[in-house]
């Protein structure tokens, strides 16, 4: 009897494996190379699923992250950090929490200030965050001329990437609050 149970179990596993392997139709098969999608086409598809269309995206910016879902924002900012050359010089709008990072000592940050301003966005599960430093186009007095710390802000600026002492810094320059 034991041998039969083992054979039946083995037969069942073989049958399930065969059904799994051979049940795919040609519709689900991999697309030929000529029909594959580029990275940009995939982003357009995801943006359309997010409810974004050419008409809903403002023409005064090259990339409006402020209208994307948390998942898309997180992915886009990740791409900006990984491939900054694709974004340098583009005008970008971002919406997130306003943060200020202040140095305790008097030695300035690489931006020449003792403060760094950032717009931080949580991902969809709110477990992780991505953010962008921004450098304002006009002089403003902190905290008088700024939004409340941790409030939701929209910032527009030009994406930059610079290397200082072997470290790459990215963010928005000539930025302004909307």
């Amino acid at each position: 009897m034991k041998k039969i149970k083992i054979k039946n179990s083995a037969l069942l596993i073989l049958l399930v494996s065969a059904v799994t392997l051979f049940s795919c139709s040609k519709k689900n098969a991999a697309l030929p190379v000529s029909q594959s999608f580029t990275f940009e086409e995939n982003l357009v598809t995801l943006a359309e699923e997010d409810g974004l269309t050419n008409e809903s995206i403002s023409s005064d910016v090259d990339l409006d992250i402020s209208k994307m879902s948390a998942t898309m924002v997180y992915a886009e900012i990740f791409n900006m950090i990984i491939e900054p050359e694709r974004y340098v010089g583009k005008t970008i709008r971002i919406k997130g929490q306003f943060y200020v990072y202040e140095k305790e000592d008097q030695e300035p940050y690489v931006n020449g200030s003792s403060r760094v301003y950032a717009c931080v966005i949580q991902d969809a599960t709110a477990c992780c965050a991505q953010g962008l430093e921004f450098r304002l186009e006009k002089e403003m007095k902190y905290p008088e001329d700024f939004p409340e710390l941790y409030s939701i802000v929209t910032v527009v600026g030009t994406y930059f990437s610079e290397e200082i002492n072997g470290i790459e810094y990215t963010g928005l320059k000539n930025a302004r609050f909307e």
Side-chain angles (χ1 to χ4, degrees):
M1 247 337 164
K2 269 191 171 179
K3 288 183 181 178
I4 293 174
K5 285 185 182 178
I6 292 172
K7 286 182 182 178
N8 286 343
S9 296
L11 183 60
L12 181 60
I13 291 171
L14 183 61
L15 182 60
V16 168
S17 298
V19 168
T20 303
L21 289 172
F22 299 111
S23 65
C24 296
S25 70
K26 291 195 186 260
K27 289 181 184 177
N28 293 331
L31 293 172
V33 174
S34 64
Q35 294 179 4
S36 64
F37 295 102
T38 65
F39 175 74
E40 287 78 13
E41 289 170 326
N42 284 332
L43 280 180
V44 168
T45 301
L46 289 171
E48 288 169 352
E49 289 172 5
D50 230 5
L52 300 176
T53 62
N54 287 338
E55 295 78 32
S56 70
I57 297 174
S58 178
S59 62
D60 63 336
V61 296
D62 297 309
L63 179 60
D64 192 346
I65 298 175
S66 70
K67 296 181 181 182
M68 294 180 184
S69 71
T71 303
M72 282 298 296
V73 169
Y74 191 80
E76 194 69 45
I77 291 179
F78 179 80
N79 287 335
M80 293 166 82
I81 293 167
I82 298 300
E83 297 182 280
E85 64 279 357
R86 293 181 63 199
Y87 299 90
V88 169
K90 294 187 186 234
T91 303
I92 296 173
R93 178 180 288 125
I94 186 169
K95 184 176 182 178
Q97 278 189 305
F98 173 62
Y99 277 76
V100 177
Y101 300 96
E102 295 192 66
K103 282 194 95 169
E104 298 289 324
D105 59 26
Q106 294 302 314
E107 187 175 327
Y109 284 110
V110 294
N111 68 4
S113 171
S114 61
R115 289 188 192 92
V116 172
Y117 307 110
C119 186
V120 177
I121 301 96
Q122 298 287 329
D123 72 348
T125 61
C127 74
C128 304
Q130 288 279 11
L132 280 179
E133 172 192 353
F134 60 89
R135 300 176 186 172
L136 296 166
E137 66 183 347
K138 65 179 185 174
E139 191 70 33
M140 295 174 66
K141 189 173 180 183
Y142 183 80
E144 294 84 11
D145 298 334
F146 285 80
E148 186 176 328
L149 195 58
Y150 310 121
S151 63
I152 302 299
V153 296
T154 302
V155 178
V156 176
T158 305
Y159 192 77
F160 73 89
S161 175
E162 63 187 14
E163 187 176 317
I164 300 174
N165 298 326
I167 299 172
E168 187 170 12
Y169 295 90
T170 60
L172 300 178
K173 64 182 179 180
N174 302 318
R176 69 183 186 283
F177 292 105
E178 283 193 333

